[in-house]
Amino acid sequence: MMFNPAREQVRQFFCQAWQKHRQRAILEGAEVTAADLILQHPEYHALLEDPATAIGQEFSPESGQMNPFLHLSLHLAVAEQVSIDQPPGIRSAYQTLRARVGDHQAAHAILDAWVPNLVINSDSCYAAAWRRCMST
């Protein structure tokens, strides 16, 4: 799908996936996962229903607002990593955690371990962070 999309493309992707879901149109590829993730985040629905505002809005740390597109993109990344079992063992560990706390909380547990390690450009550190997260 997208490997290095511009900010506007990412925002359009999520807005369009949500619009297609609401219109009961056929979702394709990552749109299916995106719509499922958006359903788990009702706090983003109104924003995604107004693409003109959503695409242009700024979300800065100083404003205290979470960037919904960053948040959804991170969820999408977790879903992809689990689906391809990368790093190896993440799928099994995720399923174990999901059985204890549910889908959404399991994804957030992964994000809590993963996000602080995003600046580390090392596959071994990346994999170790996932394993630490999943063993708690």
Side-chain angles (χ1 to χ4, degrees), residues 11 14-16 18-19 38 41 44-51 54 68-69 72:
R11 291 177 178 206
F14 283 111
C15 289
Q16 288 172 350
W18 184 238
Q19 180 181 21
I38 295 165
H41 288 280
Y44 300 154
H45 293 179
L47 176 68
L48 295 169
E49 290 168 12
D50 182 5
F69 299 102
L72 291 169

Side-chain angles (χ1 to χ4, degrees), residues 1-131:
M1 189 190 91
M2 299 183 271
F3 292 102
N4 191 19
R7 180 179 93 160
E8 290 76 18
Q9 290 173 306
V10 170
R11 291 177 178 206
Q12 285 175 329
F13 166 75
F14 283 111
C15 289
Q16 288 172 350
W18 184 238
Q19 180 181 21
K20 286 173 79 173
H21 167 79
R22 289 181 43 81
Q23 294 173 346
R24 291 185 161 60
I26 295 172
L27 297 165
E28 300 176 15
E31 292 174 334
V32 175
T33 304
D36 287 343
L37 294 171
I38 295 165
L39 283 169
Q40 295 175 27
H41 288 280
E43 68 274 23
Y44 300 154
H45 293 179
L47 176 68
L48 295 169
E49 290 168 12
D50 182 5
T53 299
I55 291 168
Q57 188 166 342
E58 293 297 325
F59 301 95
S60 67
E62 297 79 27
S63 72
Q65 289 182 295
M66 173 61 165
N67 181 330
F69 299 102
L70 174 60
H71 188 81
L72 291 169
S73 294
L74 290 169
H75 268 290
L76 197 59
V78 167
E80 176 67 14
Q81 295 297 307
V82 169
S83 77
I84 63 172
D85 199 29
Q86 244 347 286
I90 190 65
R91 182 182 302 135
S92 174
Y94 172 80
Q95 289 169 344
T96 299
L97 184 58
R98 184 182 69 185
R100 283 195 347 237
V101 299
D103 288 332
H104 196 215
Q105 287 307 108
H108 274 264
I110 291 171
L111 288 172
D112 288 346
W114 184 37
V115 170
N117 293 289
L118 285 176
V119 295
I120 300 171
N121 191 13
S122 165
D123 288 341
S124 62
C125 290
Y126 171 73
W130 283 91
R131 283 194 279 284

